[in-house]
Amino acid sequence: MRRRIYWLMPDLASARQAMHDLVQARVDVARIHFAGPEGMDMTGLHAANVWQTSDVVHAAKTGWVIGSACGMVAGLVAGLLFPVMGDDPEWEVAVLLGVLGGVVGAWSASMIGISIPSIRLRRFEGAMAEGRILLMVDLPRSRVQDIEALLQTAHPEAHFEGEEQQVPAFR
């Protein structure tokens, strides 16, 4: 697991310099994400993608749970009331429909979640609307203090906005 640190940069020049400083400090470019106002030219920065800016992961998890539950209920009803072979309940139908319901639920919920802004970034919307740029860096626990110190020293114009305790590896 990694930790995500958040910094608000005042402008593009500061954000580009921070990107350069982080790369020089051997932070993997894939772990550096910038989010800014809609339509801002993010040339020279590793822009955040839908994994960082939308609610797609949370929505997919929720869809999986709800879809699986609905599929299991439908499968239990079908397996108990409408057995295909013989008179015994067919429990396999419940399992099959549970998995199928989970897949369909995750897929459909993620299609909705991709268009919903991340709840984690909601507190930064005002600052980004004013033209500031959000820097998100995903780091191993052992590097958090060093990188925070680097950014604080090299970028006094930037503001530390907090840390998220656990970021899954695939984000």
Side-chain angles (χ1 to χ4, degrees):
M1 294 300 236
R2 295 179 175 268
R3 292 186 178 197
R4 176 172 288 167
I5 58 173
Y6 296 98
W7 286 78
L8 274 174
M9 311 305 285
D11 54 32
L12 275 171
S14 180
R16 287 185 179 120
Q17 185 60 46
M19 175 79 175
H20 175 76
D21 294 341
L22 289 168
V23 170
Q24 290 296 313
R26 299 188 185 274
V27 175
D28 184 13
V29 173
R31 301 292 181 186
I32 304 169
H33 316 287
F34 289 91
E38 184 101 13
M40 177 180 267
D41 179 24
M42 303 288 273
T43 304
L45 300 175
H46 187 251
N49 59 29
V50 295
W51 295 109
Q52 290 88 35
T53 60
S54 73
D55 205 28
V56 68
V57 175
H58 179 259
K61 288 178 184 176
T62 303
W64 175 263
V65 170
I66 293 171
S68 294
C70 290
M72 288 291 268
V73 169
L76 285 171
V77 169
L80 289 172
L81 299 180
F82 308 107
V84 177
M85 297 187 165
D87 293 332
D88 294 331
E90 295 180 356
W91 305 114
E92 301 85 10
V93 174
V95 173
L96 179 66
L97 287 180
V99 171
L100 184 62
V103 170
V104 170
W107 174 77
S108 60
S110 67
M111 294 296 106
I112 296 167
I114 204 164
S115 64
I116 299 172
S118 173
I119 57 173
R120 291 183 169 103
L121 302 185
R122 193 167 291 150
R123 64 187 170 130
F124 303 113
E125 287 176 352
M128 288 190 289
E130 294 171 359
R132 288 185 268 176
I133 300 166
L134 177 65
L135 165 62
M136 299 173 274
V137 186
D138 300 335
L139 299 164
R141 294 173 197 252
S142 61
R143 298 223 41 216
V144 170
Q145 288 182 339
D146 295 337
I147 298 302
E148 284 179 2
L150 167 76
L151 288 170
Q152 185 140 16
T153 303
H155 299 279
E157 75 281 5
H159 296 281
F160 177 69
E161 294 292 330
E163 181 178 322
E164 192 173 0
Q165 294 301 318
Q166 294 185 341
V167 178
F170 61 85
R171 291 180 110 190

